[in-house]
Amino acid sequence: MIDILQIFLSESFWAASLRIASPLIFGVLGALLCERSGVLNLGIEGIFVVGAMTGWMAVWLGAGLWGGVLAAALAGALFGLLHAILTVPFGLSQHVSGLGITLFATSVASFTYRTALPDVTSPPRIEPFRAMDIPILSDLPFLGPVLFQQTPMTVLALVLVLVVWWVMDRSALGVAIKAVGDNPDAVNAQGLSVVGLRMGAVVAGSALMALGGAFLTMSAFDAFFFGMVNGRGWICIALVIFASWQPGKALLGALLFGMFDALQVRLQTEAGSFIPGQVFLMIPYILSIVALVIAARRADYPRALLTPWRKGQR
């Protein structure tokens, strides 16, 4: 018999949940910034891939771990800039542009990898971020293993939740970003640049998305391989709706999915001998869809989301 209560009381379960949620936290924060400004970025899946590949390759070439993080963020920002140019000043379809960015970024990652390593059958390994061991804090019961024995990138993800929350809810810049996603004409009437605010939010959000990919190659694993992103970008798009475009709820949504995923791994270990493994693999996605449907009914989405803006036009 499976002891569900014992699983939920386990320190390792909650530590794994936070670890699994970490790349989603980066991605959902990035998607939140883009959509709060009124721009849907469906390029997130491809940006995850290019962030994973760029961060890993930068470390492999000798840039160091934090150099890899910076390289991944810059790569994501470049693809975000391309999406922003196509959708903000040019006013092209955000759906089409985003899907195009996903295909383009994934292809660029594949081309770069194959060109740099044409004869390699298995990807070279790097030395990834290691779990921290903070004196005193790491020894705390329960909280120590869960919060203070994670890698630096998990800590960075949690810090960025606070940063994005402060920017969006406590700063004039955040007010302007939310306003441009709700009523760009009013922002323009105040003398602020709608195009500049939207493009800046998309570029910054895309940089955060790429960090989600970099987490996979530099913190969760030690190499890059195709298929490792495995739909995490699309999960982040759904989690933004679940979070009602709020950073705190975005963290909760990412942790919820991480918890479901960690749970299915343990259930598969406990009962995999008499229940097909595919049943357990479906659990986090089914539960996430149920949570999304419940949350979406009350979602207060940005009113100008997906709506191109041109000065002087109504």
Side-chain angles (χ1 to χ4, degrees):
M1 182 177 178
I2 302 174
D3 192 343
I4 298 292
L5 181 60
Q6 188 63 36
I7 292 176
F8 279 104
L9 292 177
S10 168
E11 296 172 347
S12 62
F13 169 75
W14 292 104
S17 298
L18 180 56
R19 186 167 59 252
I20 294 170
S22 296
L24 301 177
I25 294 172
F26 286 115
V28 75
L29 289 177
L32 185 150
L33 274 178
C34 294
E35 294 184 27
R36 268 298 195 178
S37 71
V39 180
L40 176 67
N41 190 352
L42 294 182
I44 183 171
E45 185 78 1
I47 292 173
F48 256 74
V49 174
V50 83
M53 191 279 298
T54 302
W56 163 79
M57 184 164 285
V59 176
W60 180 63
L61 292 174
L65 290 171
W66 289 110
V69 171
L70 178 60
L74 290 175
L78 285 175
F79 282 96
L81 178 61
L82 176 58
H83 180 60
I85 291 172
L86 293 174
T87 58
V88 181
F90 290 167
L92 301 181
S93 168
Q94 296 176 15
H95 293 98
V96 174
S97 174
L99 293 174
I101 292 295
T102 281
L103 295 174
F104 181 46
T106 303
S107 299
V108 167
S110 176
F111 176 79
T112 303
Y113 179 86
R114 302 298 182 194
T115 302
L117 302 166
D119 302 319
V120 173
T121 55
S122 61
R125 305 289 174 175
I126 63 170
E127 185 67 26
F129 283 105
R130 296 298 181 185
M132 299 182 299
D133 188 9
I134 304 174
I136 300 176
L137 293 178
S138 295
D139 297 327
L140 291 173
F142 192 80
L143 289 179
V146 174
L147 292 178
F148 302 112
Q149 292 181 19
Q150 299 285 348
T151 67
M153 286 202 74
T154 294
V155 175
L156 176 61
L158 296 176
V159 169
L160 284 173
V161 173
L162 295 176
V163 171
V164 172
W165 168 80
W166 186 86
V167 169
M168 297 303 293
D169 287 4
R170 293 292 185 269
S171 72
L173 176 60
V175 172
I177 291 173
K178 289 189 287 188
V180 84
D182 283 325
N183 192 341
D185 289 320
V187 173
N188 180 66
Q190 293 296 318
L192 299 176
S193 172
V194 174
V195 171
L197 285 167
R198 284 189 166 182
M199 291 187 66
V202 173
V203 169
S206 299
L208 291 179
M209 295 172 183
L211 293 183
F215 179 93
L216 298 176
T217 50
M218 298 167 57
S219 197
F221 306 104
D222 58 2
F224 170 77
F225 53 90
F226 294 99
M228 69 187 312
V229 173
N230 196 29
R232 286 178 174 87
W234 308 125
I235 291 295
C236 291
I237 293 294
L239 288 177
V240 174
I241 302 172
F242 171 82
S244 298
W245 294 269
Q246 300 294 328
K249 291 182 179 179
L251 172 62
L252 176 62
L255 289 173
L256 192 63
F257 185 87
M259 183 189 74
F260 292 154
D261 206 3
L263 179 62
Q264 68 87 9
V265 171
R266 282 153 178 78
L267 291 178
Q268 196 169 164
T269 302
E270 295 288 336
S273 58
F274 54 90
I275 299 177
Q278 291 82 355
V279 173
F280 299 104
L281 290 173
M282 291 190 300
I283 288 176
Y285 297 95
I286 293 174
L287 295 178
S288 297
I289 290 172
V290 171
L292 176 63
V293 168
I294 294 172
R297 296 168 66 95
R298 302 187 300 272
D300 184 19
Y301 62 90
R303 289 186 289 274
L305 182 63
L306 293 171
T307 304
W309 181 86
R310 292 181 177 85
K311 190 172 183 177
Q313 290 186 3
R314 295 284 182 178

